[in-house]
Amino acid sequence: MSGRPDAAALEAARNLEEMKRMREIEEEILARAPENDIGPSLDRIRAVMELAGDPQRTYPSIHLTGTNGKTSTSRMIDTILRESGLSTGRFTSPHLHDIRERITLSGKPIPREKFIAAYDEVAPLIELVDARSLESGGRRMNFFEVLVALAYAAFADAPVDVAIIEVGLGGSWDATNVIDAQVAVVTPVDLDHTHLLGDDVVSIAEEKSGIIKADSVTVSGVQDDDVARVLLDRVEEVGGARIVFEGNDFGVLAREVAIGGQQVSLRGLAGEYADLFLPLHGAHQASNLATAVAAVEAFVGGGEQRIEPEVLSAATAAMTSPGRLEIVRRSPTVLVDAAHNPHGARSLVAALEEAFAFTRLVGLVGIVADKDAVGILEVLEPALDHIVVTRSSSPRAMRPDDLGKLAVELFGESRVTVVRDLPDALEQAVTLAEAEGMGGGVVATGSVITAGEVRMLLGLTDV
């Protein structure tokens, strides 16, 4: 015996050390103000980026905003670009299970060692900017700003051929908005985060339009007329930019429900694409795919170069969107969906009606306190036979008793069950779904956190 540790033991020790360091970093980041506490200014993130040498300017980017569909569309763009042979970095939020999901390299969560390296690179710069900001009566960088700095550094270090960047909140003042993206994507705009972004869609659209930059192409989902006017005005204001709209310049030509998803035919900016199998449910996902295809066409060939049909077909068939009308258990079927506003709930209900035929559908619902709980429940009510009201582990989660009172007003007392703890609530929802025999189902929704925690309770953590 040599007494020297073998390779497996060394690897285990390294993994343990990495996990310990990751926990320390997460605690440091989480100790900061939360991501919805924004303090609207780009000064702090801009200062860190300048100190780091502006890594976000070393690669081209696609920037996404909108009310719903941003993460699904980001993942679709990422998949098409990777299938086309490009290396990608993707930044999305929030995460379902692991903070590293927010920063992906070529479709996979950033490895722990790269996350640690990027944090160690930017942490001293963040401390310097924090100190300067506090001295001048400002504030420290929040949770989200730190993650943006980390992501932009990691993408430069990789390096990536293209970054796909989803805003955290809004657009103009969002920390991601220190890039000048070649393509801006605006998914449908509706009411959400009204306490931060404004009480009407025009105010919200004005904030979101801030990601549109000079000499870029904006790819927009279907918008109401007032929102479209805001986007057109912004394109004219920045100069050299142009905008294309779903339904006018590109869109879904045909779609039909298929086993495990849907068959979709699209009109892109540079041509048509027939009979694509998309393993995701709902008209909204077909629209997200159309937007993603147009964004890739705009990025790769200025909207004049068709994506190779076999590349797009392979990419579309491989697309996933965890936590978005995702089946996480069968017998009975349990679905999770991250709908957290009325607009998202409407897409969920439409997709449920189209793709599933439950004899009895039970909702397992936990909503964050600053969301439009009444609006969400009103949309869900006609689709659900019963609702089990609960809460996620989030400190921002609405108290089940309070949510239960709102649910009783809409559903009636006989259709509402309040269960404080999510694991018990899931068990109760399954029992209720099975009460009348086969064919029942459960849909867990109301927030990304609720969807993620139900997913985890049923043994799924891959993204």
Side-chain angles (χ1 to χ4, degrees), residues 360-377:
R360 179 175 172 79
L361 182 59
V362 177
L364 175 60
V365 179
I367 299 174
V368 174
D370 62 0
K371 295 295 181 178
D372 181 5
V374 172
I376 294 168
L377 294 176

Side-chain angles (χ1 to χ4, degrees), residues 51-238:
L51 288 169
D54 283 322
Q56 80 281 11
R57 303 202 183 284
T58 64
Y59 41 80
S61 54
I62 299 172
H63 205 179
L64 294 94
T65 189
T67 300
N68 290 304
K70 296 185 296 295
T71 298
S72 292
T73 307
S74 296
R75 292 177 67 98
M76 290 173 175
I77 292 169
D78 189 352
T79 304
I80 298 168
L81 290 172
R82 283 188 286 114
E83 191 67 34
S84 302
L86 298 178
S87 64
T88 61
R90 186 180 76 239
F91 181 76
T92 55
S93 59
H95 58 275
L96 286 167
H97 308 295
D98 186 327
I99 197 170
R100 292 183 296 118
E101 295 168 25
R102 295 175 180 239
I103 304 169
T104 71
L105 296 173
S106 293
K108 301 291 185 186
I110 184 172
R112 283 193 300 263
E113 67 271 17
K114 290 184 181 294
F115 187 101
I116 293 165
Y119 182 79
D120 288 343
E121 179 182 337
V122 299
L125 311 180
I126 289 167
E127 288 177 14
L128 183 60
V129 169
D130 281 346
R132 288 177 182 171
S133 180
L134 291 169
E135 280 173 17
S136 61
R139 51 187 285 164
R140 297 170 76 223
M141 293 178 71
N142 73 1
F143 169 90
F144 187 76
E145 289 172 302
V146 170
L147 284 180
V148 170
L150 201 158
Y152 286 168
F155 295 157
D157 289 342
V160 301
D161 295 325
V162 53
I164 304 106
I165 308 294
E166 175 191 328
V167 304
L169 193 63
S172 296
W173 299 113
D174 188 75
T176 60
N177 201 29
V178 288
I179 53 173
D180 291 325
Q182 284 75 7
V183 176
V185 176
V186 186
T187 66
V189 173
D190 209 301
L191 296 176
D192 197 13
H193 302 292
T194 52
H195 59 298
L196 295 169
L197 301 180
D199 293 329
D200 56 84
V201 291
V202 169
S203 300
I204 292 171
E206 286 171 349
E207 169 63 21
K208 293 181 184 295
S209 71
I211 72 165
I212 298 172
K213 305 295 174 61
D215 303 316
S216 65
V217 179
T218 298
V219 176
S220 174
V222 174
Q223 311 290 359
D224 75 21
D225 290 345
D226 290 337
V227 171
R229 173 48 54 196
V230 170
L231 299 180
L232 286 163
D233 287 348
R234 172 66 180 179
V235 166
E236 186 176 340
E237 175 192 333
V238 299

Side-chain angles (χ1 to χ4, degrees), residues 20-80:
K20 179 183 174 185
R21 180 64 182 132
M22 273 297 305
R23 280 196 300 271
E24 291 171 352
I25 291 171
E26 281 194 68
E27 287 171 7
E28 289 174 19
I29 298 175
L30 287 167
R32 293 174 174 272
E35 55 195 311
N36 63 331
D37 183 356
I38 55 174
S41 170
L42 295 179
D43 292 346
R44 296 175 297 276
I45 184 67
R46 195 173 279 137
V48 170
M49 292 293 93
E50 286 175 0
L51 288 169
D54 283 322
Q56 80 281 11
R57 303 202 183 284
T58 64
Y59 41 80
S61 54
I62 299 172
H63 205 179
L64 294 94
T65 189
T67 300
N68 290 304
K70 296 185 296 295
T71 298
S72 292
T73 307
S74 296
R75 292 177 67 98
M76 290 173 175
I77 292 169
D78 189 352
T79 304
I80 298 168

Side-chain angles (χ1 to χ4, degrees), residues 351-396:
L352 283 168
E353 290 174 350
E354 176 185 87
F356 299 91
F358 296 113
T359 57
R360 179 175 172 79
L361 182 59
V362 177
L364 175 60
V365 179
I367 299 174
V368 174
D370 62 0
K371 295 295 181 178
D372 181 5
V374 172
I376 294 168
L377 294 176
E378 284 176 340
V379 175
L380 294 177
E381 189 275 329
L384 302 178
D385 295 288
H386 197 96
I387 184 171
V388 178
V389 168
T390 188
R391 63 167 295 156
S392 68
S393 64
S394 169
R396 293 165 54 218

Side-chain angles (χ1 to χ4, degrees), residues 320-349:
T320 60
S321 193
R324 278 74 183 174
L325 203 59
E326 178 188 20
I327 297 173
V328 293
R329 173 181 162 168
R330 297 187 186 274
S331 191
T333 298
V334 177
L335 299 151
V336 296
D337 190 85
H340 56 276
N341 52 43
H343 183 266
R346 288 193 292 272
S347 294
L348 165 62
V349 168

